[in-house]
Amino acid sequence: MQLKKNIYLIGFMGAGKSSVSRAMAEKYGFRETDTDEMIVSREKMPIPQIFEKKGEAYFRNVETIVLKETAKKRGMVVSCGGGVILKEENRRLMKESGEVILLLAKPKTIYERVKNGKNRPLLNGNMNVEYIEKLLKERTPLYELAKTREIATEGKTPERIAEEIYRTI
Ligand code: S3P
């Protein structure tokens, strides 16, 4: 199947966006991209270093720049950084150029997936279920605003989630 639009995968850190994107590429041959990877290759610095040296606002600006580039294309599965929903401009760019699929996961599941990672500056010093729950709660209204569809991911493999997405597009 040829995708006419893009498919944006959004959701909290550890919701499974990258794994689902990979499964969509492997199963259906879709081209995939990842906003975090685009940012890293543009800035030639890992994400924690961008936050540390240039600050979150700078990171958010670059995130919008790479999203704009992606929104000009068609037929891509785009795995988005968890905070992409924070800006109205980003939410608009995604909706105008594709389906925006929210991957849902519980705080405990998220914690289990992210707890050993060192690449998420927002969770540095806050690596616990309570903090994840708090941030998720704060962001939920924005995820709701940004999405066009949502998928519960609990207990499902990335392949199964990819199949569910495929059936709805
Ligand atoms: C962020 C999520 C990260 C990354 C950055 C900020 C966030 O991406 O963009 O650390 O604000 O939720 P993942 O969702 O892929 O971990």
Side-chain angles (χ1 to χ4, degrees):
M1 193 219 309
Q2 198 84 14
L3 276 179
K4 291 198 187 71
K5 304 186 204 173
N6 289 335
I7 297 177
Y8 295 95
L9 300 177
I10 65 164
F12 204 79
M13 295 171 260
K17 295 160 290 183
S18 307
S19 324
V20 172
S21 168
R22 208 171 313 121
M24 300 223 35
E26 279 168 14
K27 242 176 133 56
Y28 305 112
F30 295 143
R31 284 178 300 149
E32 58 165 336
T33 187
D34 179 306
T35 59
D36 284 348
E37 281 174 16
M38 289 174 81
I39 295 168
V40 169
S41 82
R42 206 186 154 93
E43 295 299 307
K44 299 179 184 61
M45 241 188 260
I47 288 176
Q49 215 172 321
I50 303 175
F51 269 72
E52 192 192 317
K53 294 216 158 125
K54 311 232 169 158
E56 181 173 350
Y58 179 90
F59 175 86
R60 298 295 173 205
N61 284 337
V62 184
E63 192 169 48
T64 300
I65 292 170
V66 303
L67 198 61
K68 270 189 191 149
E69 280 170 19
T70 314
K72 283 189 206 142
K73 301 181 184 153
R74 293 292 178 269
M76 310 284 293
V77 177
V78 190
S79 175
C80 298
V84 77
I85 43 78
L86 295 172
K87 280 196 193 174
E88 197 276 333
E89 184 178 9
N90 297 354
R91 300 196 295 268
R92 184 178 49 76
L93 282 166
M94 294 191 289
K95 268 204 185 144
E96 281 174 358
S97 57
E99 287 296 333
V100 188
I101 306 204
L102 173 60
L103 302 185
L104 296 167
K106 291 186 187 131
K108 180 85 174 74
T109 312
I110 291 171
Y111 172 72
E112 291 302 331
R113 290 194 189 139
V114 300
K115 66 180 180 192
N116 296 320
K118 297 266 174 292
N119 215 18
R120 294 186 170 97
L122 290 186
L123 297 179
N124 275 353
N126 287 310
M127 195 57 93
N128 56 72
V129 182
E130 293 69 32
Y131 182 77
I132 290 170
E133 199 161 12
K134 176 177 167 284
L135 191 56
L136 181 60
K137 211 168 180 180
E138 276 169 27
R139 286 183 172 183
T140 293
L142 299 178
Y143 285 122
E144 290 293 318
L145 269 180
K147 70 166 191 199
T148 58
R149 301 179 189 184
E150 67 177 40
I151 296 201
T153 66
E154 291 300 325
K156 297 177 190 164
T157 62
E159 291 70 29
R160 158 116 189 255
I161 299 163
E163 282 162 22
E164 280 188 32
I165 294 173
Y166 188 80
R167 279 202 295 271
T168 70
I169 53 176

